[in-house]
Amino acid sequence: MSKPIVAIVGRPNVGKSTLFNQIGKKRVSIVEDMPGVTRDRIYLDAEWLNNEFTMIDTGGIEIETDDRILNAIRHQAQLAIEEADVILFIVDGRAGLTSSDEEVGAILRNTRKPVILAVNKVDSAKKMDEIYEFYNLGLGEPIPISASNALNLGDLLDKVVESLPKDQEPEGESDQIRVALIGRPNVGKSSLVNALIGQERVIVSDIPGTTRDAIDTHFTKEGTQFVLIDTAGMRRKAKIELPVERYSVMRSLRAVDRSDVVLMVIDAVDGVTEQDKKIAGYAHEGGKGIVIVVNKWDLVEKDSKTSLRFTETIRDELGFMQYAPVLFTSALTKQRVNRITDLIKFVAEQHSMRISTSVLNQVITDATAVNPPPSEQGRRLKIYFTTQADVKPPTFIFFVNDPEIMHFSYLRFLENRLRESFGFEGTPLKLVVRGRKEEE
């Protein structure tokens, strides 16, 4: 199910990024940090009062010249309206109401999307008078906050949760495999979609960023129904020149949320980049099945060991995704394109695999016999029982005597043994450690 998107919008230097970082650090349960996953990003998977949503730090409304002020403001505000489920409009209490704020407010008043007005930099009761002029925006009651001091963020998030859409987008039919193609611009995602379905369904261009929307393409192969979601390419924030690309990132993240399996498309010429790591990290943290597709393989000069060296480089660069299979393709020449659907089906099966409790516990017992659990201050870790709690991704709960003794290295050892015994190729595993007395 796609998570609602909350877009933080406003002029530069009103404190949008400070608020974004403060919420992630202080007030919201974010996705667990995984070693090797780059955390520098503009999105934040958040949860408040049992409501999950994705926050997007959109960047300031950038105005280059006086002649472009109104056009730039209108364009960015309209894009935020179109892409977000809830708009969090940040203004600066110290600077007061500006003409730029009024222009954005005029546009937001005409939208059907929920708009929350937050007046930042109100860090004391003495400054409460600074919020009253913002009533003139006609966006309801302004919420005074101080992002830098984490003041009143709870009230702000209460309002955000209250404004989230109540009816979520349905998952779709269970017999369909939903596949999101993600990656940087111009790596060949749209070309791969066309090659897979055998027709020009998606516009292809060598201009990066041609795809602006997440497009669903339904097709059936050998009795299996697929839904391909071609997404706008995501690039480094510094390289986003057109405002529309900031908001196309929202569509791409939503597409990942909707998918069962993600095709992480990498350019064979450019190799793995820092942005590839960020994009792959989002899919990994989302617990999605993953296939790494190295496209444009026809453009690489090769010898007998080129693919092996390239695979080793991918494993080094994407250390947190050792489980993901790697396929070298060319959408242009159709090289190995016919293997993609078979690999998607295989990974989807691995992603939804369930292991019987008796077999699972026997594997864990054998693993602890080979490599005894660690001890700390005279106490040795004891694993009493293991059960699989969920699939997509496969989730395992270990009931132990003391969760604090479970070192990360030993948990990784147990994960490796699970993979050696059952495969789980192409899917992350979620391992949860609980004390014996905790309820399952």
PDB file of all heavy atoms in Angstrom, residues 348-365:
ATOM      1  N   ALA A 348      10.055 -12.833  -6.578  1.00  0.00           N
ATOM      2  CA  ALA A 348       8.746 -12.682  -5.940  1.00  0.00           C
ATOM      3  C   ALA A 348       8.417 -13.906  -5.086  1.00  0.00           C
ATOM      4  O   ALA A 348       7.849 -13.784  -3.989  1.00  0.00           O
ATOM      5  CB  ALA A 348       7.667 -12.462  -6.996  1.00  0.00           C
ATOM      6  N   GLU A 349       8.780 -15.091  -5.565  1.00  0.00           N
ATOM      7  CA  GLU A 349       8.559 -16.316  -4.785  1.00  0.00           C
ATOM      8  C   GLU A 349       9.422 -16.336  -3.532  1.00  0.00           C
ATOM      9  O   GLU A 349       8.968 -16.710  -2.451  1.00  0.00           O
ATOM     10  CB  GLU A 349       8.857 -17.540  -5.652  1.00  0.00           C
ATOM     11  CG  GLU A 349       7.873 -17.737  -6.794  1.00  0.00           C
ATOM     12  CD  GLU A 349       8.322 -18.808  -7.770  1.00  0.00           C
ATOM     13  OE1 GLU A 349       9.467 -19.329  -7.590  1.00  0.00           O
ATOM     14  OE2 GLU A 349       7.579 -19.108  -8.718  1.00  0.00           O
ATOM     15  N   GLN A 350      10.685 -15.915  -3.672  1.00  0.00           N
ATOM     16  CA  GLN A 350      11.587 -15.853  -2.524  1.00  0.00           C
ATOM     17  C   GLN A 350      11.084 -14.826  -1.502  1.00  0.00           C
ATOM     18  O   GLN A 350      11.181 -15.018  -0.290  1.00  0.00           O
ATOM     19  CB  GLN A 350      12.992 -15.473  -2.980  1.00  0.00           C
ATOM     20  CG  GLN A 350      13.630 -16.447  -3.950  1.00  0.00           C
ATOM     21  CD  GLN A 350      14.119 -17.710  -3.272  1.00  0.00           C
ATOM     22  OE1 GLN A 350      15.000 -17.672  -2.435  1.00  0.00           O
ATOM     23  NE2 GLN A 350      13.519 -18.830  -3.627  1.00  0.00           N
ATOM     24  N   HIS A 351      10.551 -13.732  -2.003  1.00  0.00           N
ATOM     25  CA  HIS A 351      10.058 -12.632  -1.172  1.00  0.00           C
ATOM     26  C   HIS A 351       8.868 -13.057  -0.312  1.00  0.00           C
ATOM     27  O   HIS A 351       8.662 -12.522   0.789  1.00  0.00           O
ATOM     28  CB  HIS A 351       9.665 -11.477  -2.102  1.00  0.00           C
ATOM     29  CG  HIS A 351       9.451 -10.176  -1.420  1.00  0.00           C
ATOM     30  ND1 HIS A 351       8.384  -9.362  -1.701  1.00  0.00           N
ATOM     31  CD2 HIS A 351      10.168  -9.531  -0.471  1.00  0.00           C
ATOM     32  CE1 HIS A 351       8.440  -8.267  -0.962  1.00  0.00           C
ATOM     33  NE2 HIS A 351       9.524  -8.348  -0.214  1.00  0.00           N
ATOM     34  N   SER A 352       8.083 -14.013  -0.821  1.00  0.00           N
ATOM     35  CA  SER A 352       6.879 -14.462  -0.114  1.00  0.00           C
ATOM     36  C   SER A 352       7.033 -15.868   0.472  1.00  0.00           C
ATOM     37  O   SER A 352       6.049 -16.492   0.865  1.00  0.00           O
ATOM     38  CB  SER A 352       5.677 -14.417  -1.056  1.00  0.00           C
ATOM     39  OG  SER A 352       5.894 -15.210  -2.208  1.00  0.00           O
ATOM     40  N   MET A 353       8.272 -16.361   0.548  1.00  0.00           N
ATOM     41  CA  MET A 353       8.510 -17.709   1.066  1.00  0.00           C
ATOM     42  C   MET A 353       8.250 -17.784   2.568  1.00  0.00           C
ATOM     43  O   MET A 353       8.623 -16.905   3.326  1.00  0.00           O
ATOM     44  CB  MET A 353       9.955 -18.135   0.782  1.00  0.00           C
ATOM     45  CG  MET A 353      10.276 -19.568   1.223  1.00  0.00           C
ATOM     46  SD  MET A 353      12.040 -19.962   1.130  1.00  0.00           S
ATOM     47  CE  MET A 353      12.389 -19.625  -0.601  1.00  0.00           C
ATOM     48  N   ARG A 354       7.595 -18.854   2.986  1.00  0.00           N
ATOM     49  CA  ARG A 354       7.348 -19.089   4.412  1.00  0.00           C
ATOM     50  C   ARG A 354       7.957 -20.433   4.816  1.00  0.00           C
ATOM     51  O   ARG A 354       7.760 -21.434   4.135  1.00  0.00           O
ATOM     52  CB  ARG A 354       5.846 -19.078   4.706  1.00  0.00           C
ATOM     53  CG  ARG A 354       5.533 -19.098   6.195  1.00  0.00           C
ATOM     54  CD  ARG A 354       4.046 -18.995   6.450  1.00  0.00           C
ATOM     55  NE  ARG A 354       3.517 -17.689   6.090  1.00  0.00           N
ATOM     56  CZ  ARG A 354       3.541 -16.645   6.903  1.00  0.00           C
ATOM     57  NH1 ARG A 354       4.105 -16.749   8.109  1.00  0.00           N
ATOM     58  NH2 ARG A 354       3.014 -15.493   6.520  1.00  0.00           N
ATOM     59  N   ILE A 355       8.689 -20.451   5.938  1.00  0.00           N
ATOM     60  CA  ILE A 355       9.378 -21.643   6.433  1.00  0.00           C
ATOM     61  C   ILE A 355       8.620 -22.194   7.641  1.00  0.00           C
ATOM     62  O   ILE A 355       8.196 -21.425   8.512  1.00  0.00           O
ATOM     63  CB  ILE A 355      10.827 -21.308   6.838  1.00  0.00           C
ATOM     64  CG1 ILE A 355      11.555 -20.573   5.701  1.00  0.00           C
ATOM     65  CG2 ILE A 355      11.578 -22.569   7.239  1.00  0.00           C
ATOM     66  CD1 ILE A 355      11.641 -21.339   4.410  1.00  0.00           C
ATOM     67  N   SER A 356       8.464 -23.506   7.686  1.00  0.00           N
ATOM     68  CA  SER A 356       7.763 -24.110   8.824  1.00  0.00           C
ATOM     69  C   SER A 356       8.566 -23.896  10.100  1.00  0.00           C
ATOM     70  O   SER A 356       9.805 -23.852  10.084  1.00  0.00           O
ATOM     71  CB  SER A 356       7.545 -25.599   8.588  1.00  0.00           C
ATOM     72  OG  SER A 356       8.773 -26.308   8.639  1.00  0.00           O
ATOM     73  N   THR A 357       7.874 -23.770  11.213  1.00  0.00           N
ATOM     74  CA  THR A 357       8.522 -23.457  12.491  1.00  0.00           C
ATOM     75  C   THR A 357       9.515 -24.532  12.906  1.00  0.00           C
ATOM     76  O   THR A 357      10.606 -24.228  13.406  1.00  0.00           O
ATOM     77  CB  THR A 357       7.452 -23.268  13.588  1.00  0.00           C
ATOM     78  OG1 THR A 357       6.571 -22.215  13.184  1.00  0.00           O
ATOM     79  CG2 THR A 357       8.095 -22.898  14.907  1.00  0.00           C
ATOM     80  N   SER A 358       9.149 -25.785  12.694  1.00  0.00           N
ATOM     81  CA  SER A 358      10.031 -26.877  13.125  1.00  0.00           C
ATOM     82  C   SER A 358      11.337 -26.877  12.338  1.00  0.00           C
ATOM     83  O   SER A 358      12.425 -27.024  12.910  1.00  0.00           O
ATOM     84  CB  SER A 358       9.322 -28.225  12.963  1.00  0.00           C
ATOM     85  OG  SER A 358       8.929 -28.436  11.608  1.00  0.00           O
ATOM     86  N   VAL A 359      11.245 -26.696  11.020  1.00  0.00           N
ATOM     87  CA  VAL A 359      12.446 -26.680  10.192  1.00  0.00           C
ATOM     88  C   VAL A 359      13.290 -25.453  10.531  1.00  0.00           C
ATOM     89  O   VAL A 359      14.526 -25.534  10.628  1.00  0.00           O
ATOM     90  CB  VAL A 359      12.063 -26.674   8.694  1.00  0.00           C
ATOM     91  CG1 VAL A 359      13.301 -26.482   7.823  1.00  0.00           C
ATOM     92  CG2 VAL A 359      11.342 -27.953   8.325  1.00  0.00           C
ATOM     93  N   LEU A 360      12.634 -24.330  10.740  1.00  0.00           N
ATOM     94  CA  LEU A 360      13.341 -23.092  11.071  1.00  0.00           C
ATOM     95  C   LEU A 360      14.146 -23.235  12.349  1.00  0.00           C
ATOM     96  O   LEU A 360      15.330 -22.866  12.413  1.00  0.00           O
ATOM     97  CB  LEU A 360      12.330 -21.952  11.206  1.00  0.00           C
ATOM     98  CG  LEU A 360      12.869 -20.594  11.641  1.00  0.00           C
ATOM     99  CD1 LEU A 360      13.870 -20.054  10.622  1.00  0.00           C
ATOM    100  CD2 LEU A 360      11.716 -19.602  11.826  1.00  0.00           C
ATOM    101  N   ASN A 361      13.539 -23.780  13.378  1.00  0.00           N
ATOM    102  CA  ASN A 361      14.234 -23.917  14.660  1.00  0.00           C
ATOM    103  C   ASN A 361      15.360 -24.937  14.600  1.00  0.00           C
ATOM    104  O   ASN A 361      16.363 -24.791  15.307  1.00  0.00           O
ATOM    105  CB  ASN A 361      13.233 -24.297  15.753  1.00  0.00           C
ATOM    106  CG  ASN A 361      12.473 -23.091  16.275  1.00  0.00           C
ATOM    107  OD1 ASN A 361      12.927 -22.400  17.178  1.00  0.00           O
ATOM    108  ND2 ASN A 361      11.308 -22.824  15.694  1.00  0.00           N
ATOM    109  N   GLN A 362      15.231 -25.946  13.736  1.00  0.00           N
ATOM    110  CA  GLN A 362      16.312 -26.910  13.589  1.00  0.00           C
ATOM    111  C   GLN A 362      17.533 -26.250  12.960  1.00  0.00           C
ATOM    112  O   GLN A 362      18.679 -26.479  13.378  1.00  0.00           O
ATOM    113  CB  GLN A 362      15.855 -28.093  12.721  1.00  0.00           C
ATOM    114  CG  GLN A 362      16.895 -29.200  12.601  1.00  0.00           C
ATOM    115  CD  GLN A 362      17.272 -29.778  13.952  1.00  0.00           C
ATOM    116  OE1 GLN A 362      16.410 -30.229  14.713  1.00  0.00           O
ATOM    117  NE2 GLN A 362      18.576 -29.787  14.266  1.00  0.00           N
ATOM    118  N   VAL A 363      17.298 -25.371  11.975  1.00  0.00           N
ATOM    119  CA  VAL A 363      18.396 -24.647  11.332  1.00  0.00           C
ATOM    120  C   VAL A 363      19.085 -23.735  12.334  1.00  0.00           C
ATOM    121  O   VAL A 363      20.326 -23.660  12.391  1.00  0.00           O
ATOM    122  CB  VAL A 363      17.872 -23.839  10.130  1.00  0.00           C
ATOM    123  CG1 VAL A 363      18.938 -22.859   9.631  1.00  0.00           C
ATOM    124  CG2 VAL A 363      17.453 -24.774   9.006  1.00  0.00           C
ATOM    125  N   ILE A 364      18.319 -23.054  13.169  1.00  0.00           N
ATOM    126  CA  ILE A 364      18.909 -22.153  14.160  1.00  0.00           C
ATOM    127  C   ILE A 364      19.671 -22.942  15.222  1.00  0.00           C
ATOM    128  O   ILE A 364      20.756 -22.528  15.669  1.00  0.00           O
ATOM    129  CB  ILE A 364      17.819 -21.281  14.818  1.00  0.00           C
ATOM    130  CG1 ILE A 364      17.141 -20.398  13.765  1.00  0.00           C
ATOM    131  CG2 ILE A 364      18.404 -20.418  15.926  1.00  0.00           C
ATOM    132  CD1 ILE A 364      18.084 -19.485  13.019  1.00  0.00           C
ATOM    133  N   THR A 365      19.132 -24.078  15.612  1.00  0.00           N
ATOM    134  CA  THR A 365      19.829 -24.927  16.584  1.00  0.00           C
ATOM    135  C   THR A 365      21.168 -25.401  16.035  1.00  0.00           C
ATOM    136  O   THR A 365      22.194 -25.369  16.727  1.00  0.00           O
ATOM    137  CB  THR A 365      18.962 -26.142  16.950  1.00  0.00           C
ATOM    138  OG1 THR A 365      17.744 -25.694  17.557  1.00  0.00           O
ATOM    139  CG2 THR A 365      19.690 -27.054  17.927  1.00  0.00           C
TER     140      THR A 365
END
